[in-house]
């Protein structure tokens, strides 16, 4: 029986003879065979790639489950295939047995993958292991090669080796220890050595204890106090474990130890029951705590009250300032978190006479890095304007305020936009940078770290992809960053695209910082829900960076990060057929956008049309901004700055700032933020009903 090719030839022969094309038949057959061969090769290559990629996901799963035999087999398969992600497989394999590894084995790994993320990631892990082994020689030798240098425990181990070598590391060691949140062996051993050698004082120990209690880390506080001896350690256990009982004892004249423990006990109680702490302070602390100790306690009470948006918070802060010894009048030593909450609560004061002096005092006590942040540059400028006397006497303060506003004015972030509007400057989006050359784009495409990260992302290993990508970006100039951002955009990895573009300093490509994927779908959903498309773009940029398949650890899914229960509730309200059991439905962009924009519109309507409150509700649930609006009527920017949750506060400001930029892009108008912030925010009108069904 003739084969398919022969049969086609026999059937076509009479036609070709009639057309005089018989001489072309061999060429046509050769082309058909070449096409079939190319197709078969492509299929085989695709199958081989899929098989090799399965090896990587198999290796990751084996590493997570600590299945050494499976991981060894996957490593052998990846080595045989010379897979581009082999460095990761070797890293997972060696990391899983690092406690047994030898120095030469680790050095060989470094040599195989020099300059890569996994080399430095393993160095981080190895330095921790060397610290656990007390191998100071190899730790001191390897640490200078650590490029990320972002692990606090590793820093503590290194500082310990420097201290043991006779070098003065007190200031760096003190900073590292104070910044430690969780107990770890390296920082604890460093602190022990510094106390034993009298490089850390008792005051350092007590400051560490207070900072630990502020961070709700009582175990770290106890560990610190234990450095002062068994008596202090036992007393600290009682004060921190049962603070109310400790405080109710008839203390009589308090020693320095008992004053410190009383402050810690009051802080422990205030964290959960501020009223109880205040009652105990009035009962026992008025005449027994020294000025500095009493000031710290009242400042902490102020912080707790400010976090609760209590009208009493400013009075507590003023009392704290009044109790400080003169030597600490400008630098009280309170934590930055306590100081910034003092600044926020000052903003909530209705009277400018009360607001601006307290705000200025709190901001000027912040550390240099926080004072330089746009948030506090902006509010310091506003305070100087508010305190400036009329006429020539106030010109210097007004000039300083203007200088501060000019230093942060920008169309691309919340306080930069506010500053520019306060200055009356017309804001325009940055001009597009010069187009990337073919060579620049090819260099990005050929950069090994970016290529590995892209491959990891395609395999769904986004955490590893993000870390490798970010490591590779270190030290890049603006043009290289723009090329990397464009590479990510071309691969529709909008998360890496935006985050990379955000890093440029002088050349800003708005099209990659604020991309518009799913533009038609977003516009259609926004229009159908009665929302401004720019608001939806701004929210999605903050929620998911336009990654349609993302799922949070809490279960929120899709472009607009909908929880299953919320999606089901909204679908029922708008009459959309929705089945949570069909997981693909919530990831479908049009469906997700329809549900998300419908919910956002319901939230916006429930919260008096305030974009700031609606953004807060979308992030933290509608019940919280309903509570947060109670109290004085506030400028919307002040309300946003006083949102108690850090994540939600940052979210609100970024959504509104993003929306201003998208409005400028979509409508070809200058970015305007103040109009978007809207009218002042205060208690709900009693006649306005609450949509109590909103999830």
């Amino acid at each position: 029986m003739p084969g398919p090719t022969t049969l086609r030839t026999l059937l076509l022969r009479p036609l070709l003879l009639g057309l005089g094309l018989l001489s072309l038949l061999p060429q046509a057959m050769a082309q058909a065979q070449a096409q079939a061969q190319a197709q078969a090769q492509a299929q085989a290559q695709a199958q081989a790639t899929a098989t090799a990629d399965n090896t990587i996901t198999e290796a990751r799963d084996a590493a997570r489950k600590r299945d050494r035999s499976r991981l060894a087999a996957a490593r052998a398969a990846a080595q045989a295939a010379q897979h581009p992600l082999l460095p990761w497989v070797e890293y997972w394999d060696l990391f899983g047995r690092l406690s047994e590894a030898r120095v030469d084995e680790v050095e060989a790994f470094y040599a195989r993958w020099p300059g890569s993320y996994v080399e430095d990631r393993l160095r981080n892990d190895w330095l921790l292991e060397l610290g656990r082994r007390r191998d100071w020689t190899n730790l001191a030798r390897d640490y200078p090669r650590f490029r990320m240098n972002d692990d606090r425990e590793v820093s503590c181990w290194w500082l310990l080796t420097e201290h043991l070598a006779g070098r003065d590391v007190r200031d760096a060691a003190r900073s590292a220890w104070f910044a430690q949140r969780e107990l770890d062996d390296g920082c604890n051993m460093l602190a022990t050595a510094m106390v034993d050698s009298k490089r850390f004082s008792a005051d350092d120990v007590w400051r560490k204890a207070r900072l630990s209690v502020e961070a709700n880390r009582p175990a770290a506080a106890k560990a610190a106090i234990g450095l002062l001896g068994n008596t202090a350690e036992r007393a600290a256990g009682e004060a921190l474990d049962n603070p109310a009982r400790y405080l109710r004892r008839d203390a009589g004249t308090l020693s320095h130890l008992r004053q410190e423990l009383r402050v810690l006990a009051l802080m422990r109680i205030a964290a959960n029951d501020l009223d109880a702490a205040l009652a105990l302070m009035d009962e026992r602390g008025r005449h027994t705590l020294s000025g500095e100790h009493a000031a710290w306690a009242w400042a902490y009470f102020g912080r707790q009250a400010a976090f609760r948006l209590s009208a009493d918070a400013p009075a507590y802060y003023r009392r704290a300032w009044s109790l400080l010894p003169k030597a600490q009048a400008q630098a009280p030593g309170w934590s930055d978190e306590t100081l910034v909450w003092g600044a926020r609560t000052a903003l909530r004061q209705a009277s400018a006479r009360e607001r601006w002096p307290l705000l200025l005092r709190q901001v000027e006590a912040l550390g240099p890095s926080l004072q330089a942040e746009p948030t506090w540059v902006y509010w310091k400028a506003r305070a100087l304007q508010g305190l400036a006397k009329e006429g020539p006497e106030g010109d210097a303060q007004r000039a300083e305020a203007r200088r501060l506003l000019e230093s942060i004015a920008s169309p691309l972030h919340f306080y930069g936009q506010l500053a520019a509007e306060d200055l009356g400057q017309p804001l325009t989006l940055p001009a597009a940078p010069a187009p990337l050359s073919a060579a620049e784009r090819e260099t990005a495409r050929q950069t090994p770290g970016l290529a590995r990260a892209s491959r990891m992302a395609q395999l769904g290993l986004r955490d590893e992809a993000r870390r490798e990508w970010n490591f590779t970006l270190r030290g890049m100039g603006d043009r290289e960053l723009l090329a990397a951002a464009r590479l990510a955009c071309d691969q529709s990895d909008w998360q890496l695209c935006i985050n990379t573009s955000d890093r440029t300093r002088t050349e800003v490509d708005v099209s990659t910082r604020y991309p518009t994927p799913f533009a038609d779908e977003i516009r259609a959903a926004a229009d159908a829900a009665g929302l401004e498309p720019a608001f939806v773009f701004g929210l999605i940029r903050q929620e998911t960076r336009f990654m349609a398949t993302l799922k949070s650890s809490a279960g929120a899914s899709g472009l607009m990060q909908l929880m299953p229960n919320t999606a089901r509730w909204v679908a029922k309200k708008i009459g959309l057929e929705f089945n949570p059991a069909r997981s693909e439905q919530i990831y479908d962009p049009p469906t997700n956008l329809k549900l998300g924009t419908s919910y956002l519109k319901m939230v916006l309507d429930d919260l008096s049309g305030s974009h700031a409150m609606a953004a807060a509700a979308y992030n933290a649930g509608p019940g919280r901004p309903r509570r947060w609006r109670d109290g004085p009527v506030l400028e919307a920017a002040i309300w946003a700055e006083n949102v108690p949750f850090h994540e939600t506060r940052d979210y609100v400001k970024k959504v509104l700032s993003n929306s201003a930029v998208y409005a400028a892009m979509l409508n070809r108008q200058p970015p305007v933020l103040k109009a978007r912030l809207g009218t002042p925010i205060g208690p709900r009108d009693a006649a306005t009903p609450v949509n109590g069904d909103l999830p």
Side-chain angles (χ1 to χ4, degrees):
M1 181 175 179
T5 303
T6 305
L7 184 59
R8 283 196 298 271
T9 303
L10 292 173
L11 292 173
L12 289 172
R13 187 181 182 89
L15 177 61
L16 294 172
L17 282 169
L19 295 175
L21 299 177
L22 187 59
S23 61
L24 299 179
L25 184 58
Q27 181 180 350
M29 291 178 61
Q31 289 177 344
Q33 288 174 344
Q35 289 173 354
Q37 187 176 21
Q39 185 176 14
Q41 288 176 342
Q43 290 175 343
Q45 181 61 43
Q47 181 61 41
T49 299
T51 300
D53 285 348
N54 287 340
T55 297
I56 304 303
T57 54
E58 168 75 6
R60 187 69 187 101
D61 184 64
R64 285 174 176 156
K65 294 176 179 177
R66 299 183 180 180
D67 188 333
R68 288 193 180 185
S69 59
R70 278 176 60 208
L71 182 53
R75 176 187 176 185
Q79 286 175 329
Q82 285 300 290
H83 197 286
L85 297 181
L86 174 60
W88 276 93
V89 180
E90 290 200 355
Y91 165 74
W92 294 326
D93 176 58
L94 184 50
F95 174 75
R97 49 190 178 81
L98 203 58
S99 61
E100 309 160 8
R102 303 181 312 276
V103 171
D104 61 341
E105 189 176 8
V106 172
E107 289 291 338
F109 180 92
Y110 294 163
R112 284 197 301 278
W113 312 114
S116 68
Y117 170 74
V118 293
E119 181 214 0
D120 215 47
R121 176 66 256 176
L122 187 77
R123 179 169 287 111
N124 190 157
D125 304 324
W126 182 236
L127 288 167
L128 290 172
E129 174 62 24
L130 291 173
R132 285 189 284 269
R133 295 183 185 187
R134 310 306 192 246
D135 186 345
W136 312 130
T137 300
N138 281 306
L139 194 150
R141 182 180 58 81
D142 204 7
Y143 179 84
R145 297 184 287 176
F146 186 25
R147 291 185 296 280
M148 285 186 291
N149 199 16
D150 58 355
D151 187 305
R152 186 165 290 116
E153 187 178 6
V154 168
S155 297
C156 285
W157 284 126
W158 162 249
L159 289 166
L160 178 58
T161 66
E162 291 286 276
H163 169 71
L164 295 174
R167 299 181 182 91
D168 183 4
V169 296
R170 179 185 181 277
D171 291 343
R174 190 171 176 267
S175 296
W177 188 43
F178 284 174
Q180 176 200 33
R181 290 180 64 83
E182 304 293 344
L183 284 172
D184 64 70
D185 193 23
C187 292
N188 289 344
M189 192 167 179
L190 170 65
T192 301
M194 297 299 284
V195 169
D196 288 347
S197 63
K198 297 184 169 39
R199 301 300 295 162
F200 283 175
S201 67
D203 286 343
D204 291 330
V205 171
W206 289 116
R207 178 169 173 77
K208 168 63 178 177
R210 292 183 202 173
L211 293 173
S212 298
V213 171
E214 279 198 18
N216 195 27
R217 299 290 190 274
K222 292 178 193 176
I225 297 168
L227 298 175
L228 299 178
N230 293 335
T231 300
E233 185 174 22
R234 284 193 298 270
E238 184 179 358
L240 294 172
D241 293 339
N242 199 331
R245 184 176 67 187
Y246 180 86
L247 286 168
R248 287 195 174 95
R249 288 183 172 182
D250 184 11
T253 302
L254 290 182
S255 63
H256 183 268
L257 169 65
R258 299 187 79 167
Q259 290 205 55
E260 291 286 0
L261 293 178
R262 185 172 287 274
V263 172
L264 297 180
L266 285 165
M267 291 168 64
R268 287 282 284 160
I269 293 171
N272 298 307
D273 189 343
L274 181 57
D275 289 339
L278 289 165
L280 287 164
M281 182 71 167
D282 283 339
E283 174 190 340
R284 292 286 185 184
R286 188 181 305 161
H287 304 297
T288 55
L289 286 182
S290 68
E292 189 267 341
H293 293 94
W296 190 294
W298 281 106
Y300 185 72
F301 295 165
R303 169 180 167 175
Q304 292 300 318
F307 184 79
R308 293 164 173 77
L309 306 181
S310 168
D312 296 324
Y316 301 155
Y317 274 106
R318 289 192 183 94
R319 188 166 183 178
W321 282 105
S322 71
L323 290 167
L324 279 172
K326 288 185 179 180
Q328 293 178 266
Q330 302 302 318
W334 305 332
S335 70
D336 280 338
E337 192 70 8
T338 294
L339 289 165
V340 297
W341 273 109
R344 291 187 183 116
T345 200
L347 287 171
R348 293 175 61 84
Q349 296 293 282
S351 165
R353 182 180 297 177
E354 295 176 329
R355 177 191 303 159
W356 300 126
L358 180 58
L359 172 71
L360 195 59
R361 191 169 196 181
Q362 298 284 151
V363 171
E364 289 182 340
L366 290 170
S369 60
L370 268 177
Q371 282 201 48
E373 287 186 0
T375 301
W376 304 116
V377 171
Y378 177 80
W379 289 116
K380 181 177 181 179
R382 289 281 302 273
L384 290 172
Q385 289 174 333
L387 292 170
K389 294 179 180 180
E390 294 183 6
E393 286 185 88
D395 285 349
Q397 274 188 301
R398 281 187 287 273
E400 174 62 8
R402 184 174 186 85
R403 184 193 68 77
L404 290 172
L405 293 175
E406 288 172 344
S407 73
I408 61 169
S410 165
L412 300 177
H413 60 84
F414 185 83
Y415 282 111
Q417 292 167 345
L418 285 181
E421 290 190 55
D422 284 357
L423 291 166
Q425 293 179 355
L427 280 181
T428 56
L429 296 179
L436 292 164
S437 68
E440 287 174 316
R441 297 182 69 148
E442 182 62 16
T443 297
R445 195 180 71 81
Q446 295 293 339
T447 300
L450 300 184
R452 283 192 296 268
S454 297
R455 192 74 170 265
M456 297 289 275
Q458 291 163 10
L459 295 179
L461 301 176
R462 290 208 61 82
D463 184 56
E464 291 86 348
R466 174 185 53 79
R467 287 185 280 143
E468 173 119 34
W469 185 277
N470 289 340
F471 178 83
T472 307
L473 297 181
R474 294 174 323 106
M476 284 189 178
D478 278 2
R479 297 297 297 180
E480 295 166 297
L481 290 169
L482 291 174
R486 178 55 61 190
L487 174 66
C489 284
D490 290 345
Q491 296 169 348
S492 296
D493 196 320
W494 306 108
Q495 186 179 57
L496 294 179
C497 167
I498 293 169
N499 293 349
T500 304
S501 192
D502 266 345
R503 289 174 176 244
T504 62
R505 293 164 289 278
T506 57
E507 295 197 55
V508 176
D509 184 352
V510 175
S511 71
T512 53
R513 280 201 190 194
Y514 298 89
T516 55
F518 308 103
D520 292 341
E521 294 94 330
I522 291 172
R523 283 180 179 273
D527 290 342
L531 292 170
E532 179 196 20
F535 186 33
V536 181
F537 273 106
L539 185 140
I540 294 174
R541 183 184 187 271
Q542 188 59 25
E543 276 287 346
T544 59
R545 296 290 200 253
F546 302 97
M547 300 298 289
T549 59
L550 286 190
K551 182 175 182 178
S552 75
S553 58
S557 304
L559 277 173
M560 296 190 72
Q561 288 291 276
L562 292 165
M563 295 294 289
N565 289 341
T566 302
R568 183 168 49 244
W569 182 88
V570 175
K572 185 176 180 181
K573 286 287 184 182
I574 65 176
L576 177 69
E577 185 178 343
F578 179 76
N579 182 1
R582 292 173 54 199
S583 59
E584 74 281 358
Q585 202 174 4
I586 202 167
Y587 293 108
D588 172 59
T591 302
N592 190 280
L593 287 165
K594 185 173 182 61
L595 293 169
T597 53
S598 297
Y599 178 68
L600 181 58
K601 182 62 165 69
M602 294 175 193
V603 166
L604 185 67
D605 290 344
D606 183 62
L607 293 165
S608 310
S610 166
H611 282 199
M613 286 196 289
Y618 201 92
N619 179 262
R624 290 190 173 97
R626 288 177 190 147
R627 296 193 299 273
W628 296 338
R629 70 184 299 184
D630 289 338
V633 176
L634 300 172
E635 180 184 326
I638 291 176
W639 183 89
E641 189 54 50
N642 272 274
V643 167
F645 298 164
H646 171 77
E647 177 191 325
T648 306
R649 182 168 59 253
D650 184 64
Y651 181 91
V652 169
K653 291 188 286 188
K654 285 182 177 173
V655 167
L656 295 178
S657 173
N658 293 345
S659 301
V661 174
Y662 276 112
M665 292 172 61
L666 300 174
N667 305 325
R668 299 185 182 281
Q669 64 185 32
V672 177
L673 181 60
K674 287 189 175 181
R676 190 169 300 281
L677 281 165
T679 58
I681 296 173
R684 180 190 294 269
D685 186 335
T688 304
V690 175
N691 186 350
D693 293 337
L694 276 172

